[in-house]
């Protein structure tokens, strides 16, 4: 019996990997899915204004110091990227996600641009000292935002195939955030806010990208028209060539 590849598990063949078909859809997340990350961000900001919430930071810090005073781990530096690496590993193994290679790559790049921009600005604006006071860029947690942006990226791409993909991704994201606290790099409110910014950054990318992407590449009037993005490298400069047939 031959295996049948369905729409939800189609293969990204190498001959079509750079084509840009009309596969990108508007974000399908319901409004309620935006509430948790918004609450996470609100909780983080409230730690600057509400003393009982700030005291939670100190309480968690004191408990960590009491139970694990000499804890040190570098796994958080790697765990934050596991979901993204897994997405592309699954793609290479022939398990296709919601979008093709080019689209998902642009989506992740957009997510990272939104995430890194907002986090960098806030780190400088809030000027919060870390638990281990080696600098004043504690809020929000960059590692946590990276990890949760990656987790939401994997959930968006593969969540329709199985909820276990999302569970897998968010497990690594949560482990990353917890390790940031155990390593005395962040306060509890830092990692909560970082998680919120990460999730919202990816959701924003999946919401915004189709608005201009389908307008640029898709034309219902002529099915013979096609678009191709080709990676280029010349004199040390990497980029993409845009080819559209009429």
């Amino acid at each position: 019996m031959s295996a049948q590849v369905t729409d939800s598990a189609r293969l990204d063949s190498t001959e079509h990997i750079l084509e840009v078909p009309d596969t990108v859809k508007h974000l399908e997340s319901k409004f309620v899915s935006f509430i948790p990350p918004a609450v996470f961000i609100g909780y983080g900001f409230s730690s600057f204004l509400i003393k009982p919430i700030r005291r939670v930071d100190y309480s968690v810090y004191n408990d960590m110091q009491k139970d694990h005073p000499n804890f040190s781990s570098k796994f958080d530096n790697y765990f934050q990227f596991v979901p993204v690496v897994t997405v592309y590993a699954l793609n290479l193994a022939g398990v296709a996600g919601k979008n093709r290679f080019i689209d998902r790559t642009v989506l992740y790049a957009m997510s990272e641009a939104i995430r890194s921009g907002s986090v960098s600005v806030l780190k400088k604006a809030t000027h919060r000292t870390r638990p281990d006071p080696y600098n004043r860029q504690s809020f929000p947690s960059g590692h946590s935002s990276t990890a949760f942006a990656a987790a939401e990226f994997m959930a968006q791409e593969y969540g329709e195939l199985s909820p276990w993909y999302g569970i897998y991704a968010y497990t690594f994201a949560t482990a990353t955030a917890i390790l940031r606290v155990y390593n005395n790099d962040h306060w509890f409110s830092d990692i909560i806010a970082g998680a919120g910014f990460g999730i919202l950054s990816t959701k924003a990318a999946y919401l915004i990208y189709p608005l201009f992407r389908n307008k640029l590449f898709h034309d219902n009037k002529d099915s013979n028209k096609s678009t191709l993005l080709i990676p280029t490298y010349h004199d040390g400069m990497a980029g993409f060539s845009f080819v559209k047939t009429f």
Side-chain angles (χ1 to χ4, degrees):
M1 178 182 291
S2 61
Q4 183 177 2
V5 179
T6 63
D7 239 7
S8 61
R10 56 185 164 71
L11 302 181
D12 271 350
S13 62
T14 54
E15 64 179 297
H16 298 300
I17 200 169
L18 296 177
E19 290 183 4
V20 191
D22 186 20
T23 59
V24 178
K25 302 175 182 178
H26 289 267
L27 185 69
E28 295 178 352
S29 300
K30 296 180 180 179
F31 173 77
V32 293
S33 71
F34 288 84
I35 295 177
V39 170
F40 293 163
I41 293 172
Y43 179 92
F45 278 114
S46 68
S47 66
F48 289 93
L49 304 171
I50 303 174
K51 291 182 178 180
I53 291 180
R54 183 57 172 158
R55 282 198 290 268
V56 172
D57 287 341
Y58 296 129
S59 177
V60 171
Y61 171 79
N62 291 333
D63 288 343
M64 295 299 101
Q65 287 296 298
K66 180 181 178 180
D67 297 336
H68 308 280
N70 299 314
F71 183 88
S72 178
S73 173
K74 299 298 183 182
F75 282 111
D76 48 333
N77 293 328
Y78 309 106
F79 282 179
Q80 61 180 325
F81 300 114
V82 168
V84 172
V85 172
T86 304
V87 166
Y88 287 96
L90 286 169
N91 188 211
L92 287 174
V95 182
K98 183 162 60 177
N99 297 296
R100 295 293 182 95
F101 176 84
I102 288 293
D103 287 316
R104 82 166 62 96
T105 301
V106 175
L107 282 160
Y108 181 65
M110 286 182 63
S111 170
E112 274 298 288
I114 296 169
R115 181 204 64 79
S116 62
S118 57
V119 168
S120 296
V121 168
L122 284 171
K123 280 181 176 291
K124 295 177 181 178
T126 56
H127 213 50
R128 173 179 279 180
T129 303
R130 296 178 186 269
D132 184 1
Y134 57 88
N135 67 32
R136 303 189 67 177
Q137 296 185 10
S138 187
F139 182 91
S141 167
H143 278 64
S144 299
S145 66
T146 299
F148 278 87
E152 179 64 18
F153 172 64
M154 185 171 186
Q156 287 285 339
E157 287 298 317
Y158 287 99
E160 293 179 357
L161 296 183
S162 171
W164 287 105
Y165 287 114
I167 294 171
Y168 164 89
Y170 272 94
T171 296
F172 277 100
T174 302
T176 300
I178 292 173
L179 285 172
R180 298 306 285 168
V181 174
Y182 270 87
N183 283 328
N184 291 324
D185 289 310
H186 286 286
W187 305 99
F188 179 71
S189 58
D190 297 340
I191 65 170
I192 297 299
F197 279 109
I199 296 170
L200 278 183
S201 294
T202 299
K203 284 184 175 294
Y206 275 80
L207 183 65
I208 296 170
Y209 181 53
L211 298 179
F212 67 87
R213 186 265 187 216
N214 287 336
K215 197 76 171 179
L216 179 64
F217 295 113
H218 185 56
D219 191 336
N220 288 323
K221 295 180 180 179
D222 190 347
S223 58
N224 292 321
K225 294 182 179 180
S226 63
T227 306
L228 189 68
L229 289 179
I230 306 173
T232 61
Y233 186 84
H234 181 69
D235 292 336
M237 296 293 291
F240 285 101
S241 292
F242 173 74
V243 180
K244 189 174 182 69
T245 59
F246 297 91

